[in-house]
Amino acid sequence: MKRIIKTGFPLLLLVLCWIPAFAQDLASFEKRVTVNKLPNGLTVVLCRRPEAPVFSFATWVDSGSSQDPLHMTGLAHMMEHMAFKGTDKIGTADYSAEKAALAEVETTYAAYRAERIKPGGGDSKKVAELEKAWKDASARADKYVVKGAFDEIVQREGGVGLNAFTTYDETVYFYSMPVNRLELWAYLESERFTHPVMREFYKERDVVMEERRMRTDSDPTQRMIEQFLGIAFDANPYHRPTIGYMSDLQYF
């Protein structure tokens, strides 16, 4: 939910009270709706429906797979996943130590990747040594991770429907909570988009790769659609699959 305080993307935040749909004329509905644009560029659309003590929201981030950099398809989708990994306050047992450990993960991964992408796959012995150094660094960083902390807080406080999705032009986050947890929701959403921590990035990358294997690579219809769109939109960013090409994902 990109930050209600500072964000790098234009957003639309929609907050609703959730009740069964009632017939109503347009004028009556419009009276319930207010639109405000905050100084940071965030547009907030609020529909008041006080019949039930709950609220639902959806946040539209104006960025999707069509904005993925060349040879980094799937990046927007990866960032969607990472928004659930917590912050420097949520999901960590000791952030100062974790921050240093994560820096080591990135340093060792960069060395491993650089050797691996050399023509011919690099020196096999060196690749294996660098891969072990990276995995050892990852194991040390994992010791500081409180897994699923963000999800656990939302669910513990009555949140339901926690999820998100990415398309060509947008990334959307949503869930519902009791109305007396509105301030907590604002804090959680603000924190995870202002102070995100890219912990377990490569584990999540592997999850996305498996998702691709299951939904695209093993499904002839989906593979045909992907290849068709790749040709039909050859000179347009829409040729990039939202989940990303495997050849790009494996080298993130």
Side-chain angles (χ1 to χ4, degrees):
M1 180 139 303
K2 285 300 173 174
R3 221 15 159 148
I4 297 182
I5 306 219
K6 294 181 181 177
T7 179
F9 299 101
L11 312 170
L12 173 64
L13 173 65
L14 177 62
V15 179
L16 312 170
C17 284
W18 184 267
I19 61 170
F22 289 98
Q24 57 184 335
D25 58 63
L26 180 60
S28 174
F29 181 76
E30 287 179 338
K31 289 179 180 180
R32 295 173 176 263
V33 178
T34 58
V35 180
N36 292 286
K37 188 168 184 177
L38 304 185
N40 63 3
L42 179 68
T43 299
V44 180
V45 180
L46 175 65
C47 177
R48 298 180 181 277
R49 305 179 74 177
E51 292 87 348
V54 298
F55 71 90
S56 297
F57 82 94
T59 297
W60 275 261
V61 181
D62 189 20
S63 180
S65 59
S66 64
Q67 284 80 46
D68 285 342
L70 188 63
H71 303 309
M72 296 189 72
T73 58
L75 187 59
H77 180 231
M78 271 297 303
M79 292 302 101
E80 172 213 315
H81 279 235
M82 297 310 296
F84 294 88
K85 291 296 182 178
T87 72
D88 56 354
K89 304 175 187 68
I90 300 169
T92 183
D94 181 348
Y95 182 63
S96 60
E98 184 187 21
K99 184 178 181 180
L102 288 172
E104 184 184 7
V105 170
E106 292 306 308
T107 298
T108 54
Y109 181 77
Y112 163 58
R113 183 181 185 277
E115 185 65 27
R116 185 183 172 199
I117 64 175
K118 286 181 178 179
D123 180 89
S124 59
K125 182 178 180 181
K126 190 172 183 181
V127 168
E129 292 173 349
L130 292 171
E131 182 179 20
K132 183 178 185 304
W134 162 55
K135 289 184 175 180
D136 288 346
S138 297
R140 288 191 290 273
D142 285 348
K143 294 178 181 179
Y144 302 106
V145 178
V146 180
K147 298 183 184 298
F150 185 89
D151 298 41
E152 192 277 330
I153 293 172
V154 171
Q155 293 168 10
R156 185 186 68 211
E157 298 299 325
V160 296
L162 178 66
N163 215 329
F165 64 84
T166 304
T167 68
Y168 290 112
D169 296 304
E170 63 189 0
T171 306
V172 182
Y173 303 84
F174 51 91
Y175 56 93
S176 304
M177 293 190 85
V179 72
N180 63 358
R181 293 294 183 268
L182 183 62
E183 290 186 6
L184 173 63
W185 161 79
Y187 169 77
L188 291 173
E189 294 307 299
S190 179
E191 280 297 302
R192 72 164 166 166
F193 289 107
T194 300
H195 303 114
V197 174
M198 300 293 107
R199 57 176 60 94
E200 299 185 304
F201 180 87
Y202 300 105
K203 285 186 177 181
E204 201 64 30
R205 184 269 311 271
D206 292 345
V207 169
V208 171
M209 291 172 68
E210 182 60 23
E211 183 180 341
R212 181 186 166 86
R213 292 187 189 99
M214 293 175 62
R215 297 184 180 181
T216 303
D217 294 348
S218 62
D219 186 330
T221 301
Q222 290 302 316
R223 291 178 65 185
M224 181 193 70
I225 291 172
E226 179 179 281
Q227 292 171 17
F228 173 80
L229 293 176
I231 295 171
F233 293 98
D234 181 54
N236 186 292
Y238 286 167
H239 77 269
R240 304 167 185 168
T242 298
I243 199 168
Y245 292 118
M246 189 67 80
S247 57
D248 290 340
L249 293 171
Q250 65 181 332
Y251 288 115
F252 270 3

